[in-house]
Amino acid sequence: MSKVMSMKQAIAKHVNDGDFLFIGGYICRTPFAAIHEIIRQQKKDLTVTRSNAADDFDMMIGAGVVKRFIATFLSLGFYGLGRCYRRSLEQGIPHKIEVEEYTNLSLPMMLMAGSMGMPFIPVKDMAGSDLLNVKSFMGDNKYKIIDSPFDGAKTVLVPALNPDLAIVHVQQADEDGNAQMWGIGGDCQVGANAAKKVIVTCERIVDREVIGKDPSRTIVPDFKVVAVVEEPFCAHPGYTPGFYDFDFNFGNLYKNASSTVEGFQAFLDEWVYGVTGRAKYIEHYIQKMGYGAYRNLQAKFDYGYPVSYAY
Amino acid sequence: MSEHAAEYCKPELMACCGAREIKDHNLVLVGTGFPTMSANIARYTHAPHARLMQESGVYDAQPKRPALSVGDPCLNPGAAMIGGLVEIMGMFLQAGWVDIGFLSGSQVDKFGNINTTVIGDYAQPKSRLPGSGGANPIGSLAKKILIIALHDTRRLIERVDFITTPGYIDGPGARERWGLPADTGPEVIITNKAVMRFDKSTGEAYLESYHPDTSVEEVVRLTPWKLNVADDVHETEPPRVEEIRALREILDPNRMIRLYEGRGYV
């Protein structure tokens, strides 16, 4: 049964106020179009998570849709600190979000545990650091320290996470939601599989037969997926391997805009509220930056030896 | 005796100092900037079998330009393996395979503890920083940690405001008490003024060598803790010709490394 719908429908139907969301991406394949739609629909009180957040989460925090953040890191990387994140935590603008801090080892492990139906998982990091001395909304359930029942060693346990919904962007999926990706993975696969349901956004919808030509690439199977959204250029200003490059100039644009409350609001007015969806966003991008800039982002082709599963 | 480059900038010298800590066949977990430069200088000189990985999921990338983030598109084509955080941080780092990790921070103290979380009070931050990311697990689990820092009395500090990443915590034996793996921890702090190596018996960094345009006195003055000085303290060896050749001809022909001069690494 086809689960294909528009981004607007998918977000309206499956993102509820107060939900706990995993949103995949690592500059690579971030579903920006979904994030923009969440902001446009002014969802409220979301708890969000993912390892290594960037302008994507910064934008949601600045737009006021986030209440809680299960975090490891938030920075604009090459472009400096996350301006909206700082304003939220330092000045309470638009409100102070609650942050529960983990690391790029412990958080993926918590998602992996969630994906496997495990209650918790031991991790070898965080010990001896102040990450154990700060607890937010998870309270004493942020972690536990036990003596290992096997060898008596001091062991940090962290709880499994099971988000209400995961949103992941992939290169291709079929109409039922079998989703295939390639390139830098971050915590996309464990995050998607930890969630109770998944929205798959993709660059292209392909036939089930095409999925079967390279099934090892599937990261989430159709039975977990509730919506499939075909949304080319979804990850801009991030990138999707094989489709388009990271947009360095747009990184500067966001950095400069988000440096002030007014600039950030103008950015949202122009790029989020000012367009109805990703198709209009692309039109606006081409109008503003020129077709050459858009064209330059398109990926070159560099195919390998085709895989065969025949026997 | 190697010949030395006639002219170089401070970030290039620092990258070479990092490279010299890497042995052949080492597995090196890198970020961007200095770590990648250092690891690649090592590969093109004395450590051809050293291999790099990025926490985002990449092993043995073959980038055609310097990566600007660990998620950079240039890390994808040509890599030997691409997975995700579970593979790199779990299967490789946590499982004990990673020899070298590079870290930097807004504050670094004499025990090699690093703060990338907050300046001032955690609940009412003066300045909110990005957080741990991969730093805490790298600092906890890589066998040898190389710390890159600006040498001034704001970045180097007697005690960090927040231990995001543990060095020797509060002194000898602390890592062991916390159950961190044996034979891990900070090895050196490489700054724009000096190389400070850790004395494993005290957990404190001491002055091993000062860079060519500075002196023991200047380094001691710019270090906010009582800095011990090695008996055989000496001038840092300048970049060798072959190190600079790898950097400028292969790795960084546009000398993007000079960006660090603008960030105070002079």
Side-chain angles (χ1 to χ4, degrees), chain A residues 65-100:
Chain A
V65 302
V66 175
K67 182 182 182 193
R68 292 171 162 177
F69 176 26
I70 303 179
T72 72
F73 182 89
L74 195 157
S75 153
L76 306 185
F78 184 69
Y79 306 99
L81 298 171
R83 274 64 168 175
C84 295
Y85 190 45
R86 286 192 67 179
R87 274 196 295 273
S88 170
L89 294 181
E90 294 169 15
Q91 304 170 53
I93 299 171
H95 57 259
K96 187 163 180 164
I97 63 164
E98 300 167 49
V99 182
E100 201 71 88

Side-chain angles (χ1 to χ4, degrees), chain A residues 8-255:
Chain A
K8 195 172 176 178
Q9 288 170 322
I11 300 300
K13 189 167 176 197
H14 295 292
V15 179
N16 301 307
D17 290 346
D19 269 358
F20 173 23
L21 304 188
F22 170 84
I23 300 176
Y26 203 116
I27 307 169
C28 188
R29 290 186 327 271
T30 302
F32 267 97
I35 286 167
H36 287 186
E37 190 57 38
I38 287 169
I39 295 171
R40 258 194 303 276
Q41 294 188 20
Q42 300 192 294
K43 301 292 182 183
K44 284 201 296 285
D45 297 332
L46 301 176
T47 298
V48 293
T49 195
R50 193 241 318 228
S51 305
N52 260 45
D55 45 354
D56 40 15
F57 280 48
D58 192 63
M59 197 179 285
M60 287 195 289
I61 291 164
V65 302
V66 175
K67 182 182 182 193
R68 292 171 162 177
F69 176 26
I70 303 179
T72 72
F73 182 89
L74 195 157
S75 153
L76 306 185
F78 184 69
Y79 306 99
L81 298 171
R83 274 64 168 175
C84 295
Y85 190 45
R86 286 192 67 179
R87 274 196 295 273
S88 170
L89 294 181
E90 294 169 15
Q91 304 170 53
I93 299 171
H95 57 259
K96 187 163 180 164
I97 63 164
E98 300 167 49
V99 182
E100 201 71 88
E101 309 217 30
Y102 291 98
T103 74
N104 284 0
L105 170 64
S106 52
L107 182 62
M109 297 296 276
M110 291 157 73
L111 292 165
M112 188 180 81
S115 75
M116 294 183 175
M118 294 153 61
F120 56 80
I121 190 163
V123 289
K124 284 190 184 169
D125 66 346
M126 299 204 294
S129 79
D130 282 325
L131 294 173
L132 297 184
N133 294 327
V134 291
K135 294 175 181 173
S136 178
F137 52 92
M138 290 170 72
D140 286 341
N141 286 334
K142 179 181 178 184
Y143 68 91
K144 304 280 181 188
I145 295 179
I146 62 159
D147 296 329
S148 164
F150 293 98
D151 62 6
K154 186 183 283 200
T155 304
V156 178
L157 305 178
V158 286
L161 293 179
N162 290 106
D164 296 309
L165 173 72
I167 305 174
V168 296
H169 184 62
V170 298
Q171 277 90 342
Q172 62 188 23
D174 67 21
E175 293 188 340
D176 292 334
N178 291 304
Q180 298 193 319
M181 68 159 221
W182 49 95
I184 286 172
D187 50 9
C188 200
Q189 182 167 16
V190 285
N193 285 282
K196 293 166 191 154
K197 54 187 184 178
V198 183
I199 294 177
V200 169
T201 71
C202 60
E203 291 295 323
R204 63 180 176 222
I205 289 177
V206 297
D207 285 343
R208 171 65 182 76
E209 193 188 344
V210 174
I211 297 291
K213 293 292 183 191
D214 196 1
S216 296
R217 277 196 219 289
T218 304
I219 61 151
V220 61
D222 57 6
F223 61 83
K224 298 191 181 190
V225 176
V226 293
V228 177
V229 180
E230 189 177 48
E231 195 81 308
F233 211 49
C234 179
H236 180 269
Y239 72 102
T240 300
F243 287 82
Y244 43 88
D245 196 358
F246 176 69
D247 192 343
F248 290 96
N249 292 328
F250 207 89
N252 269 324
L253 185 150
Y254 182 75
K255 177 191 82 173

Side-chain angles (χ1 to χ4, degrees), chain B residues 105-108 113-119 129 160-162 164:
Chain B
S106 297
Q107 293 180 332
V108 178
N113 300 310
I114 300 174
N115 176 13
T116 52
T117 301
V118 68
I119 303 294
L129 307 171
V160 292
D161 292 356
F162 188 98
T164 311

Side-chain angles (χ1 to χ4, degrees), chain B:
Chain B
M1 188 68 192
S2 299
E3 281 185 52
H4 294 113
E7 173 271 332
Y8 58 88
C9 67
K10 198 55 70 62
E12 288 173 330
L13 173 63
M14 294 174 69
C16 293
C17 291
R20 294 166 193 166
E21 299 294 324
I22 297 168
K23 294 192 171 69
D24 203 11
H25 297 281
N26 275 178
L27 292 175
V28 188
L29 183 42
V30 299
T32 54
F34 281 118
T36 313
M37 302 285 180
S38 289
N40 277 318
I41 291 168
R43 284 190 67 175
Y44 283 103
T45 53
H46 62 279
H49 304 98
R51 290 290 178 268
L52 281 65
M53 58 181 88
Q54 283 83 7
E55 63 177 24
S56 53
V58 187
Y59 170 66
D60 199 19
Q62 308 288 323
K64 298 276 190 286
R65 56 174 173 76
L68 295 183
S69 78
V70 293
D72 195 302
C74 72
L75 299 172
N76 284 302
M81 174 179 173
I82 300 182
L85 287 153
V86 167
E87 284 81 358
I88 302 294
M89 303 303 271
M91 291 182 194
F92 302 159
L93 177 67
Q94 184 168 244
W97 290 90
V98 174
D99 297 298
I100 306 268
F102 279 89
L103 294 172
S104 61
S106 297
Q107 293 180 332
V108 178
D109 70 22
K110 64 180 174 183
F111 293 120
N113 300 310
I114 300 174
N115 176 13
T116 52
T117 301
V118 68
I119 303 294
D121 179 54
Y122 181 79
Q124 296 296 328
K126 190 165 146 236
S127 188
R128 174 64 213 204
L129 307 171
S132 163
N136 174 289
I138 292 169
S140 300
L141 299 164
K143 289 175 192 154
K144 221 164 132 174
I145 296 300
L146 315 180
I147 301 172
I148 307 288
L150 263 178
H151 209 129
D152 64 36
T153 52
R154 211 158 54 89
R155 315 301 170 103
L156 299 181
I157 192 163
E158 176 80 25
R159 187 75 179 149
V160 292
D161 292 356
F162 188 98
I163 300 181
T164 311
T165 303
Y168 295 101
I169 310 175
D170 55 7
R175 287 179 75 90
E176 291 77 6
R177 279 196 296 282
W178 277 103
L180 294 171
D183 302 321
T184 58
E187 179 71 22
V188 286
I189 307 176
I190 298 166
T191 75
N192 50 321
K193 298 287 179 189
V195 175
M196 296 181 285
R197 195 168 295 274
F198 285 89
D199 177 346
K200 301 289 169 73
S201 69
T202 62
E204 283 189 35
Y206 65 88
L207 179 60
E208 177 180 78
S209 72
Y210 51 89
H211 295 340
D213 60 346
T214 182
S215 63
V216 171
E217 292 69 31
E218 190 192 8
V219 173
V220 167
R221 185 165 51 77
L222 290 173
T223 308
W225 62 82
K226 192 183 167 303
L227 183 65
N228 291 318
V229 178
D231 293 339
D232 61 346
V233 67
H234 54 274
E235 192 175 271
T236 308
E237 183 187 351
R240 297 170 196 158
V241 170
E242 62 271 26
E243 291 170 334
I244 284 290
R245 190 182 296 141
L247 198 50
R248 292 194 198 154
E249 291 179 14
I250 304 166
L251 305 168
D252 186 25
N254 297 322
R255 295 190 78 186
M256 285 170 74
I257 198 168
R258 301 201 78 151
L259 282 173
Y260 285 95
E261 290 183 305
R263 296 180 192 173
Y265 290 91
V266 289

